[in-house]
């Protein structure tokens, strides 16, 4: 699914949750307002943040009322200060209030993901190591959060289970060993990258000898990474993952480490504080 198609689908589902259907006039609270009344509104951020979610907001109001006017003062990836106005709305008052929560849910969540990513990425910006996300995303928001990570200065790991191999402990056990797992992977989907999760240097050597493209050093300590880099000797790429925090990430971005991946970017999401006010 393309990102554009994903946005349409995600918004439609979110509106269905709120309206038990798709029609704006199913909002019984909004019916307190005269049907023809028009209003202006603005959305501000209550905290410093990296903005992400413009297209989700646009799609929300488009699906409710294509006549509503939205004027953006920022774009995805912009770093904004607290109390900044992000966009203004002009049009039917009922529609503005009906779409408010759905639109802001997307904007606050994706901006939260982008903001967290930016904080992590800045800790290793002085190195050659790239920050990656994982598949630990909010169900239904995979492409959205992957996009938000890029807005925050990170990069994407595999999108799903179809675009690259990630051979973990249980795969290795079930396949009969690292060498057999890697061999089968190359036969199943030639050309797709094969990554092996390793817990020690003996497993690293096995993955190297088997022809893996990438190894994930799982729960290695910073002091153990240099030896792993020496063993790899540039013959495959190295990713570090597991129990990495904002306080420790810089310790892992050592020479020879190509990637650091963190599930915290997408699963420990704290939404940005946003507010809509009618004017």
């Amino acid at each position: 699914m393309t990102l554009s198609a994903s946005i349409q689908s995600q918004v439609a589902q979110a509106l269905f949750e709120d309206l038990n259907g798709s029609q704006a006039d199913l909002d019984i609270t909004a019916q307190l307002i005269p049907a023809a009344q028009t209003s202006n509104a603005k959305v501000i951020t209550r905290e410093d943040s990296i903005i992400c979610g413009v297209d989700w907001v646009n799609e929300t109001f488009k699906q409710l009322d294509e006549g509503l006017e939205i004027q953006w003062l920022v774009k995805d990836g912009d770093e904004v200060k607290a109390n900044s106005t992000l966009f203004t709305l002009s049009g039917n008052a009922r529609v503005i209030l009906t779409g408010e929560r759905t639109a802001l849910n997307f904007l606050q969540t994706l901006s939260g993901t982008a903001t967290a990513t930016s904080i992590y990425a800045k800790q290793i910006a002085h190195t050659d190591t790239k920050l990656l996300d994982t598949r630990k995303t909010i169900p239904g928001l995979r492409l959205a959060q992957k996009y938000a990570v890029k807005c925050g200065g990170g990069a994407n790991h595999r999108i799903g289970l179809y675009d690259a191999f990630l051979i973990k402990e249980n795969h290795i056990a079930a396949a009969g060993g690292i060498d057999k797992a890697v061999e089968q992977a190359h036969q199943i989907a030639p050309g797709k990258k094969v990554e092996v999760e390793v817990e020690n240097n003996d497993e690293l050597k096995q993955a190297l000898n088997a022809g893996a493209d990438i190894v994930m050093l799982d729960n290695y300590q910073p002091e153990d990474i240099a030896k792993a880099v020496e063993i790899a000797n540039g013959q495959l790429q190295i990713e570090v993952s597991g129990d990495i925090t904002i306080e420790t990430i810089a310790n892992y971005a050592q020479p020879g480490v190509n990637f650091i991946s963190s599930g915290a970017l997408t699963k420990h999401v704290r939404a940005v504080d946003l507010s809509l006010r009618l004017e």
Side-chain angles (χ1 to χ4, degrees):
M1 181 180 290
T2 65
L3 182 59
S4 177
S6 178
I7 292 170
Q8 293 176 25
S9 175
Q10 290 162 357
V11 169
Q13 178 61 32
L15 287 173
F16 190 90
E17 288 175 343
D18 263 335
L19 296 168
N20 196 32
S22 59
Q23 300 301 313
D25 58 11
L26 293 174
D27 180 355
I28 59 175
T29 309
Q31 292 179 28
L32 298 171
I33 303 166
Q37 181 171 322
T38 60
S39 294
N40 297 316
K42 66 178 180 180
V43 170
I44 65 172
T45 176
R46 298 295 188 184
E47 56 186 311
D48 296 353
S49 55
I50 304 295
I51 297 304
C52 180
V54 169
D55 287 343
W56 283 261
V57 172
N58 291 343
E59 182 65 23
T60 296
F61 289 108
K62 177 183 176 181
Q63 291 191 22
L64 291 172
D65 179 1
E66 293 194 18
L68 203 73
E69 294 184 8
I70 305 177
Q71 181 67 47
W72 283 92
L73 305 179
V74 299
K75 62 183 183 299
D76 285 345
D78 281 356
E79 185 171 356
V80 300
K81 296 297 184 181
N83 299 315
S84 297
T85 298
L86 306 182
F87 65 95
T88 61
L89 292 162
S90 179
N92 185 274
R94 285 188 178 184
V95 172
I96 291 174
L97 296 179
T98 295
E100 172 187 0
R101 179 42 49 204
T102 301
L104 294 193
N105 279 349
F106 282 115
L107 190 61
Q108 69 188 22
T109 301
L110 298 183
S111 294
T113 300
T115 301
T117 300
S118 176
I119 294 171
Y120 274 77
K122 287 176 180 177
Q123 303 305 309
I124 60 172
H126 61 288
T127 75
D128 293 326
T129 304
K130 291 183 178 180
L131 176 66
L132 300 180
D133 53 26
T134 71
R135 286 175 48 245
K136 296 176 182 177
T137 52
I138 298 171
L141 290 181
R142 172 66 55 77
L143 292 183
Q145 286 196 290
K146 291 278 187 179
Y147 171 76
V149 165
K150 293 173 71 173
C151 287
N156 296 152
H157 207 286
R158 59 180 182 161
I159 301 299
L161 297 173
Y162 55 88
D163 54 328
F165 289 93
L166 180 49
I167 302 171
K168 298 188 175 185
E169 179 182 7
N170 289 331
H171 299 103
I172 293 168
I178 290 175
D179 56 344
K180 292 182 179 179
V182 173
E183 180 182 0
Q184 290 183 64
H186 285 309
Q187 292 175 357
I188 291 168
K192 290 191 182 287
K193 287 196 173 183
V194 178
E195 180 171 0
V196 179
E197 181 183 81
V198 301
E199 297 181 351
N200 54 61
N201 288 340
D202 286 339
E203 292 181 349
L204 168 57
K205 293 174 183 177
Q206 292 177 51
L208 178 62
N209 292 333
D213 300 300
I214 310 172
V215 289
M216 178 190 291
L217 307 183
D218 185 41
N219 288 312
Y220 270 55
Q221 296 303 307
E223 59 268 23
D224 298 324
I225 291 177
K227 181 60 178 177
V229 170
E230 180 184 342
I231 293 171
N233 194 32
Q235 298 178 70
L236 44 64
Q237 293 183 308
I238 292 179
E239 175 184 338
V240 177
S241 189
D243 198 29
I244 293 172
T245 67
I246 191 65
E247 292 79 18
T248 64
I249 187 171
N251 298 330
Y252 291 91
Q254 300 178 25
V257 174
N258 303 98
F259 311 106
I260 293 176
S261 58
S262 175
L265 306 182
T266 53
K267 73 186 181 85
H268 295 164
V269 179
R270 187 187 67 77
V272 170
D273 188 6
L274 305 176
S275 179
L276 181 146
R277 290 289 180 267
L278 287 180
E279 298 178 327

